[in-house]
Amino acid sequence: LAVKDPTAVERANLLNMAKLSIKGLIESALSFGRTLDSDYPPLQQFFVVMEHCLKHGLKVRKSFLSYNKTIWGPLELVEKLYPEAEEIAASVRDLPGLKTPLGRARAWLRLALMQKKMADYLRCLIIQRDLLSEFYEYHALMMEEEGAVIVGLLVGLNVIDANLCVKGEDLDSQVGVIDFSVYLKSDDDIGGKERNVQIAAILDQKNYVEELNRQLNSTVSSLHARVDSLEKSNTKLIEELAIAKNNIIKLQEENHQLRSENTLILMKTQHHLEATKVDVEAELQTYKHSRQGLDEMYNEARRQLREEAQLRQDMENELVVQVSMKHEIELAMKLLEKDIHEKQDTLIGLRQQLDEVKAINVEMYQKLQVSEDAMKEKNEIISRLEDKTSQINATMKQLEQRLQQAEKAQMEAEAEDEKLKQEYVNKSESLQNEFSQKEKQLLQLETDLKIEKEWRQTLEDDLQKEKETVSHLRTETQEVVNLKKEFLKLQEKNKQLKSVCKDQEAALQELASKLSESKLKIEDIKEANKALQGQVWLKDKEATHCKLCEKEFSLSKRKHHCRNCGEIFCNACSDNELPLPSSPKPVRVCDSCHAILIQRCSSNVP
């Protein structure tokens, strides 16, 4: 037969007792009346059974004076898990007659039953298995499935209305003994099954109504919260609306002020316009009087303009050429400045890299020296350790030889013991003493051997660690060698960059000298331009005929202007041409002063 687990049997018995007590309590309450007092026997038996269920598998907890094993610890946890249980816990702690934790736990169970929330509180406690494991063993009823079944059965107690007086009752000294005679079957119980079915139906209806009531309470609380939030938002919107109305009133007032200011400004501008009209009319009359004298002055100025126009046109053309040259020089200067700035940035970066490489080189050299010193020290340590290992091996061999000798001696002693047992019974005591001494020696030798083996193991571990450090130092030295090679490469690159930089600086000096020459030329041209600023060309409308042949200009006879004397000739009269190195074609020259002629469009040619 398979042996059953005693804790499982205990759990099954407690579950059955809980079923019987809850069933008997509900049936007797429905027959006796829905409201029960604390003196009602089935109710007292129910609390005793619940106390036994909660005590099953409870861990013994050490207190300051003695060992403590009460159910008040796990029940006190419900306060943290279920906020509504805070009232029960506070009222239990405030009761004056309770002195022991067991009495507080009994009072807590009675208050929970009166509240009809015992099942909810214990369900919250069962869900948190990790917290329960501090108070219960792993095989306890509250840690297994039977606890969940009992919590489900406790939901049926919501039908009962209990009116219990906890304040004056002596809960500390009560003895919790289960009365099994209450749960034995009788003939009356068998006959009242139909009545029980009706009672069960009524109970189901009541449970359904209570569950609906709970759901409705939860929905009402959520609706109250929503109403509060909507009221808050409504008040905020009303405040914002009032602020917006105040802003609108302020803006309307500002609009009226701006309109009044606008009308004032219009009136002022109208008055100012009328005054200016009067002034303009007076100025027109004075202008008409002074115009006659101005015409004579204009004719004289016109003659001077004809003479100066030619010179000004020549200077303007030369200025255009010089300005284009200046723009090209400025562009070249900007490009050169950009190149100089870029090269300076590269030079700064290279100097920083050089400094970093030098610092790294110094650090690596110091690390190399430190690693070489460490290598020397570790090589010395390795040699010492090797000597120690050789010594340990020699001692190990000696100990093994001793062990073999001891085993041989033991074998010989055993053989002699057997012979002596057969021959001499009287000498057995002395031989046993010798045998015990030899066993002690053997044990000592074995312990020495173990110590030597542990020592040897530790030395081998130290050797392995030293080998690892040596390999690590070798890798570091290899990295130092690689860094030296990279440093040499960087030095070569630095030399190349320095040579390139010297070439670029020489080129910049040459460009600077050329730029200074061009700037001097531009200043000379500006001075010449300032001297010729007063001269003006002759207008196209006035120059209608050639000075030499006195024929009218047309498409075939184009205008050519002399830079020096300001005379205008046609292309037929100005046949003199001179080749210039700056232009690919020969240039036309004036007949009188031999200056360069400039082609101009005639007045009748678009």
Side-chain angles (χ1 to χ4, degrees), residues 8-21:
V9 174
E10 288 174 5
R11 287 198 301 273
N13 291 334
L14 286 168
L15 178 61
N16 292 324
M17 283 306 302
K19 284 179 181 178
L20 287 169
S21 65

Side-chain angles (χ1 to χ4, degrees), residues 199-248:
I199 288 162
I202 291 161
L203 286 171
D204 292 335
Q205 287 176 3
K206 188 184 176 187
N207 290 329
Y208 175 69
V209 169
E210 285 181 351
E211 194 65 32
L212 272 174
N213 194 9
R214 283 182 186 177
Q215 289 179 2
L216 287 167
N217 284 327
S218 64
T219 52
V220 165
S221 62
S222 64
L223 285 167
H224 278 305
R226 284 182 68 187
V227 165
D228 293 334
S229 64
L230 286 168
E231 284 177 354
K232 287 177 182 176
S233 61
N234 194 7
T235 52
K236 285 180 182 177
L237 287 168
I238 288 161
E239 289 173 359
E240 287 176 359
L241 208 152
I243 292 160
K245 283 180 179 177
N246 292 325
N247 290 327
I248 288 161

Side-chain angles (χ1 to χ4, degrees), residues 311-375:
L311 292 168
R312 187 178 177 183
Q313 189 66 33
D314 296 336
M315 291 305 296
E316 281 180 357
N317 289 325
E318 287 178 2
L319 246 176
V320 167
V321 174
Q322 292 295 329
V323 165
S324 63
M325 288 281 287
K326 185 184 176 183
H327 283 303
E328 288 175 0
I329 290 160
E330 284 177 353
L331 284 169
M333 279 291 289
K334 284 177 183 177
L335 291 168
L336 284 168
E337 284 176 356
K338 280 182 184 177
D339 291 335
I340 289 159
H341 286 305
E342 287 174 358
K343 283 163 185 175
Q344 283 177 352
D345 293 334
T346 52
L347 268 170
I348 290 160
L350 286 167
R351 282 171 184 165
Q352 289 176 355
Q353 287 177 2
L354 246 175
D355 295 332
E356 288 174 358
V357 167
K358 283 177 181 177
I360 289 161
N361 192 5
V362 170
E363 286 178 3
M364 293 307 294
Y365 183 71
Q366 289 173 356
K367 283 181 181 177
L368 207 155
Q369 286 181 345
V370 172
S371 62
E372 283 176 356
D373 296 333
M375 278 283 289

Side-chain angles (χ1 to χ4, degrees), residues 125-133 142-145:
L125 195 62
I126 285 166
I127 290 165
Q128 302 291 331
R129 293 280 176 87
D130 53 348
L131 295 173
L132 274 178
S133 62
M142 296 296 285
M143 298 290 286
E144 296 292 336
E145 293 179 357

Side-chain angles (χ1 to χ4, degrees), residues 39 41 57 109 216 258 325 364 446 582:
D39 297 331
L109 289 170
L216 287 167
L258 289 167
M325 288 281 287
M364 293 307 294
E446 283 177 353
S582 60

Side-chain angles (χ1 to χ4, degrees), residues 572-590:
C573 295
S574 57
D575 291 332
N576 296 326
E577 290 182 350
L578 278 173
L580 288 174
S582 60
S583 64
K585 292 180 182 180
V587 181
R588 294 181 184 273
V589 182
C590 181

Side-chain angles (χ1 to χ4, degrees), residues 436-590:
S436 62
Q437 287 176 1
K438 285 183 179 180
E439 278 183 346
K440 286 177 182 177
Q441 288 176 1
L442 213 160
L443 287 167
Q444 285 178 358
L445 288 167
E446 283 177 353
T447 51
D448 292 336
L449 242 174
K450 283 179 183 177
I451 290 160
E452 291 293 333
K453 281 180 180 177
E454 288 174 358
W455 191 26
R456 185 177 181 181
Q457 187 65 34
T458 51
L459 287 169
E460 284 177 355
D461 293 335
D462 292 334
L463 253 172
Q464 188 65 32
K465 286 177 183 176
E466 292 297 329
K467 283 178 182 177
E468 287 175 358
T469 51
V470 167
S471 62
H472 183 66
L473 287 166
R474 282 176 183 169
T475 53
E476 283 184 353
T477 50
Q478 190 65 34
E479 287 175 359
V480 169
V481 170
N482 293 327
L483 282 166
K484 278 184 178 179
K485 289 178 182 177
E486 288 177 1
F487 178 68
L488 291 169
K489 287 178 183 177
L490 285 167
Q491 280 183 343
E492 290 176 358
K493 283 182 182 178
N494 190 11
K495 286 177 182 177
Q496 291 174 1
L497 287 166
K498 279 182 179 178
S499 62
V500 171
C501 185
K502 284 178 182 177
D503 296 336
Q504 288 173 353
E505 284 176 354
L508 283 169
Q509 287 176 358
E510 290 176 1
L511 284 167
S513 62
K514 287 179 181 178
L515 279 168
S516 62
E517 290 174 1
S518 62
K519 279 182 180 178
L520 291 169
K521 287 179 181 178
I522 288 160
E523 286 175 358
D524 295 335
I525 290 159
K526 282 180 180 177
E527 288 175 359
N529 190 13
K530 284 177 184 177
L532 298 168
Q533 274 179 358
Q535 295 179 2
V536 183
W537 273 34
L538 188 67
K539 289 183 180 179
D540 289 333
K541 289 179 182 179
E542 293 175 359
T544 54
H545 294 80
C546 179
K547 287 286 181 181
L548 293 174
C549 62
E550 295 182 356
K551 290 180 180 179
E552 192 176 356
F553 294 116
S554 63
L555 283 168
S556 59
K557 291 190 176 184
R558 291 184 297 279
K559 293 178 183 179
H560 286 81
H561 190 105
C562 181
R563 292 183 180 180
N564 191 14
C565 60
E567 297 293 336
I568 298 168
F569 305 100
C570 63
N571 56 353
C573 295
S574 57
D575 291 332
N576 296 326
E577 290 182 350
L578 278 173
L580 288 174
S582 60
S583 64
K585 292 180 182 180
V587 181
R588 294 181 184 273
V589 182
C590 181

